[in-house]
């Protein structure tokens, strides 16, 4: 394998061999280390500047610029990328198919960051050039980035699945050339989608296949995508400790320090897992970008589509902290901006949390809930909803009668959350004051035999908050102990 061959070479071999250095940089980029690729390319460009301006050196410089453009896009500097691309395309011969494909791909990704609708045309043109040139690695990388964008920004899971399948078919032995690394991208991407569809068994099979191909490609240790899918899979199955270990391994990889999309992906996974573990303070730190390089933290300077991810993450943490008004304030501009740009993944997620915040404030949550379900239902989105836990349960139960054609989707989610389809809570006549939605959450878990610590983790609340809610429901039920509360709740058919 090229990457193994290059890694085994002593540094002295690369001296005076710019073509070999370019291969080294390209390998670094394809395996996820854009920062290393940029450093190698800049050093090689300086070397070439000191050589006579022959046709060969000029061609090498154009190739370096094309890879630099692709590598720089991970840092979110779209203006720098567009400048590189425009200058290079103006002077690049039409016959240099592969560098032109790289430049068009980088231009398309930069346009995507600025919400330019030319993105789709440029990416397709880059893909056609890569295929025409016979560069399946580049074609697979373009398809992989296109599929990631379809999921991460557009919530187009079915389209992404097809794009990943295209990679698998294109790079499999049946196609005439076995390319393990690109093929692994396809399987790992499909594993993430299968998990969102709430099919952990299929996700496991696909992830195992992708990880094996990654190893066959000469890579030591799992890549970031594998670790993120594996952690979420373990979280789904309740193995939180092992999931934390996977995310810690992912966070320790400094190769992604300059990749703003990868960092946002990792932050999403960390916040999700910390909340599931009841570690609200740690979730808050992750959502604030603590410990990240300054250029990757949420704030001015990041592209709008990445800022939206951070805004939604911070709102999710505010909900867990029982600060719904603050969550709403964070979500409203994000949803407005995402809608105008057509980034439906953030519209769906933001609207879901907006509905939860409005419900917590006892305000009408129907429209944002309808919007979240409308976007998610045709794409099979499931885990995003289920990970909201009892809070989503109460929201769906309260609004199911008003959801119309979406009531079937509410029933599906309620069934997965453990609620019989179409059921609705009733207030016993014996109770003078009804329990709040949050008190009902606590009571259900209490009746399952959960400890206060376990209830806090399940509801993403602090232990002191659980004790407060327990005291409130004891008072309303007229009991003084956990055992009495369970008996009374069953007598009144509250659970």
């Amino acid at each position: 394998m090229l990457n193994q061959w290059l890694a085994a070479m002593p540094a002295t071999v690369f001296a005076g061999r710019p073509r070999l250095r370019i291969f080294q940089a390209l390998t670094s980029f394809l395996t996820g280390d854009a920062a290393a690729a940029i450093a190698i390319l800049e050093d090689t460009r300086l070397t070439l500047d000191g050589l006579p301006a022959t046709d060969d050196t000029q061609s090498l410089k154009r190739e370096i610029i094309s890879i630099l453009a692709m590598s720089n896009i991970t840092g979110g500097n779209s203006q720098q990328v567009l400048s590189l691309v425009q200058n290079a395309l103006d002077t690049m011969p039409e016959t240099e198919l592969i560098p032109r494909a790289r430049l068009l791909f980088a231009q398309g990704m930069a346009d995507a960051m600025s919400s330019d609708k030319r993105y789709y045309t440029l990416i397709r043109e880059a893909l056609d050039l890569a295929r025409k040139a016979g560069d399946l690695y580049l074609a697979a990388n373009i398809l992989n980035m296109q599929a990631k964008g379809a999921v991460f920004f557009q919530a187009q899971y079915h389209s992404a699945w097809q794009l990943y399948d295209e990679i698998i078919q294109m790079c499999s032995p049946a196609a005439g050339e076995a390319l393990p690394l690109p093929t692994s991208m396809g399987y790992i991407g499909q594993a993430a989608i299968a998990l969102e569809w709430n099919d952990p068994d299929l996700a496991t099979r696909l992830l195992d296949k992708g990880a094996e191909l990654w190893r066959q490609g000469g890579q030591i240790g799992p890549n970031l995508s594998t670790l993120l899918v594996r952690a979420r899979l373990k979280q789904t199955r309740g193995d939180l400790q092992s999931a934390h270990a996977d995310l810690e391994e992912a966070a320790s990889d400094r190769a992604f320090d300059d990749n703003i999309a990868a960092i946002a992906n990792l932050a999403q996974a960390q916040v999700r897992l910390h909340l599931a573990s009841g570690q609200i303070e740690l979730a808050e730190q992750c959502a604030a970008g603590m410990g990240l390089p300054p250029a990757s933290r949420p704030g001015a300077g990041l592209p709008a589509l990445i800022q939206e991810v951070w805004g939604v993450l911070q709102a999710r943490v505010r909900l867990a902290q029982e600060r719904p008004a603050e969550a709403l304030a964070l979500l409203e501009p994000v949803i407005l901006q995402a809608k105008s740009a057509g980034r439906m993944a953030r519209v769906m997620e933001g609207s879901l949390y907006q509905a939860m915040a409005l419900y917590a404030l006892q305000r009408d949550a129907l429209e944002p809930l309808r919007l979240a379900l409308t976007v998610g239902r045709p794409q099979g989105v499931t885990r995003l909803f289920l990970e909201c836990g009892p809070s989503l349960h109460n929201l769906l139960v309260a609004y199911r009668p008003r959801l119309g054609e979406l009531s079937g989707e509410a029933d599906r989610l309620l069934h997965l959350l453990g609620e019989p389809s179409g059921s609705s809570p009733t207030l016993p006549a014996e109770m003078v004051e009804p329990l709040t939605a949050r008190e009902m959450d606590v009571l259900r878990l209490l009746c399952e035999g959960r400890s206060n610590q376990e209830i806090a983790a399940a509801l993403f609340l602090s232990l002191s908050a659980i004790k407060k809610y327990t005291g409130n429901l004891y008072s309303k039920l007229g009991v003084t102990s956990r055992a009495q509360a369970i008996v009374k709740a069953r007598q009144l058919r509250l659970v």
Side-chain angles (χ1 to χ4, degrees):
M1 297 300 173
L2 178 60
N3 56 326
Q4 292 175 303
W5 178 63
L6 290 171
M9 283 187 174
T12 53
V13 173
F14 294 97
R17 293 182 171 89
R19 175 69 65 183
L20 199 57
R21 292 283 279 166
I22 290 172
F23 281 145
Q24 186 185 28
L26 189 56
T27 301
S28 296
F29 172 76
L30 291 173
T31 53
D33 196 346
I38 291 170
I40 293 168
L41 291 168
E42 292 289 6
D43 182 63
T44 307
R45 187 156 65 162
L46 286 174
T47 300
L48 289 173
D49 285 342
L51 298 177
T54 64
D55 288 346
D56 186 51
T57 57
Q58 294 303 105
S59 175
L60 287 174
K61 285 182 181 181
R62 290 192 293 269
E63 187 159 359
I64 285 173
I65 290 171
S66 73
I67 305 172
L68 269 175
M70 286 202 310
S71 301
N72 271 293
I73 200 66
T74 63
N77 193 339
S78 57
Q79 290 305 312
Q80 180 182 355
V81 170
L82 290 173
S83 176
L84 280 169
V85 168
Q86 197 55 58
N87 292 336
L89 283 176
D90 288 343
T91 58
M92 185 171 290
E94 294 285 343
T95 53
E96 295 187 4
L97 299 181
I98 293 175
R100 290 189 73 85
R102 292 180 189 136
L103 290 169
L104 289 170
F105 170 54
Q107 185 179 5
M109 296 302 296
D111 285 344
M113 289 188 176
S114 57
S115 304
D116 192 319
K117 298 296 172 55
R118 293 182 305 164
Y119 158 75
Y120 300 101
T121 302
L122 290 166
I123 291 296
R124 183 51 58 180
E125 189 177 345
L127 182 60
D128 290 343
L129 284 177
R131 283 175 164 160
K132 185 177 179 180
D135 191 334
L136 296 185
Y137 270 95
L138 178 57
N141 194 57
I142 293 171
L143 286 167
N144 183 48
M145 294 300 291
Q146 194 177 0
K148 285 180 181 293
V151 168
F152 196 55
F153 301 117
Q154 306 298 335
Q156 293 290 328
Y157 288 86
H158 295 297
S159 296
W161 182 278
Q162 292 172 358
L163 290 168
Y164 285 129
D165 202 50
E166 202 173 337
I167 295 173
I168 294 167
Q169 299 305 318
M170 182 177 67
C171 299
S172 67
E177 186 174 1
L179 299 174
L181 280 180
T183 311
S184 73
M185 298 178 193
Y187 282 113
I188 294 167
Q190 287 187 336
I193 294 173
L195 187 52
E196 183 55 55
W197 288 341
N198 203 38
D199 192 340
D201 292 336
L202 175 59
T204 299
R205 293 194 298 273
L206 291 167
L207 187 62
D208 289 346
K209 180 69 173 176
E212 175 57 29
L213 286 165
W214 183 254
R215 287 190 291 271
Q216 287 179 21
Q219 300 304 303
I220 301 173
N223 63 2
L224 179 65
S225 296
T226 298
L227 289 168
L228 294 182
V229 178
R230 197 166 72 187
R232 195 178 192 191
L233 186 59
K234 290 174 179 177
Q235 179 183 331
T236 299
R237 289 176 165 158
D239 186 2
L240 302 185
Q241 183 175 357
S242 186
H244 278 293
D246 282 335
L247 292 188
E248 286 171 6
E249 182 178 351
S252 68
D253 191 342
R254 300 270 65 87
F256 300 100
D257 276 356
D258 297 318
N259 189 328
I260 57 172
I263 288 171
N265 262 310
L266 177 59
Q268 280 186 319
Q270 290 172 321
V271 168
R272 183 169 54 228
L273 182 56
H274 285 315
L275 291 179
S277 305
Q279 300 168 330
I280 298 177
E281 288 185 8
L282 290 177
E284 182 178 24
Q285 291 172 13
C286 288
M290 291 182 65
L292 293 178
S296 300
R297 295 173 191 163
L302 288 179
L305 74 180
I306 300 296
Q307 283 285 20
E308 290 164 9
V309 175
W310 287 106
V312 168
L313 277 182
Q314 290 165 358
R316 183 69 186 91
V317 173
R318 296 298 182 275
L319 286 173
Q321 294 170 324
E322 297 189 79
R323 294 153 66 183
E326 293 179 32
L328 276 182
L330 287 165
L331 289 167
E332 287 169 358
V334 168
I335 295 170
L336 184 64
Q337 179 176 271
K339 278 183 180 178
S340 67
R343 289 190 280 268
M344 298 312 293
R346 296 292 81 72
V347 172
M348 174 181 62
E349 188 178 9
S351 296
L352 172 61
Y353 299 155
Q354 186 180 45
M356 291 167 60
L358 289 168
Y359 183 65
L361 292 168
Q362 299 184 337
R363 292 165 55 186
D364 188 35
L366 179 61
E367 288 311 309
L369 178 59
R370 284 184 61 85
L371 180 53
L373 294 174
T374 298
V375 176
R377 179 176 65 169
Q379 297 298 326
V381 177
T382 303
R383 289 306 313 170
L384 172 70
F385 290 91
L386 298 185
E387 285 164 358
C388 294
S391 296
L392 176 67
H393 171 278
N394 294 331
L395 180 65
L396 290 174
V397 166
Y399 281 92
R400 186 194 176 280
R402 299 172 58 191
L403 284 172
E405 74 282 1
L406 293 168
S407 61
E409 179 67 358
D411 284 344
R412 182 182 78 90
L413 293 170
L414 284 168
H415 175 73
L416 293 170
L417 287 164
E419 175 78 18
S421 298
S423 64
S424 58
T426 58
L427 176 65
E430 295 92 332
M431 290 185 64
V432 176
E433 184 181 357
L435 298 179
T436 66
R438 185 60 85 187
E439 288 163 358
M440 282 297 298
D441 292 341
V442 174
L443 181 61
R444 285 191 188 93
L445 296 172
L446 186 148
C447 290
E448 290 176 9
R450 308 269 195 108
S451 67
N452 282 350
Q453 187 66 50
E454 290 170 333
I455 295 172
L459 298 180
F460 311 132
L461 297 173
S462 65
L463 188 58
S464 60
I466 297 303
K467 290 178 180 178
K468 181 189 74 174
Y469 286 123
T470 303
N472 289 346
L473 68 89
Y474 282 5
S475 176
K476 292 179 181 182
L477 291 173
V479 299
T480 59
S481 70
R482 177 181 288 253
Q484 290 175 0
I486 293 171
V487 171
K488 187 67 171 285
R490 288 173 178 164
Q491 285 175 346
L492 299 178
R493 298 188 177 181
L494 293 172
V495 293

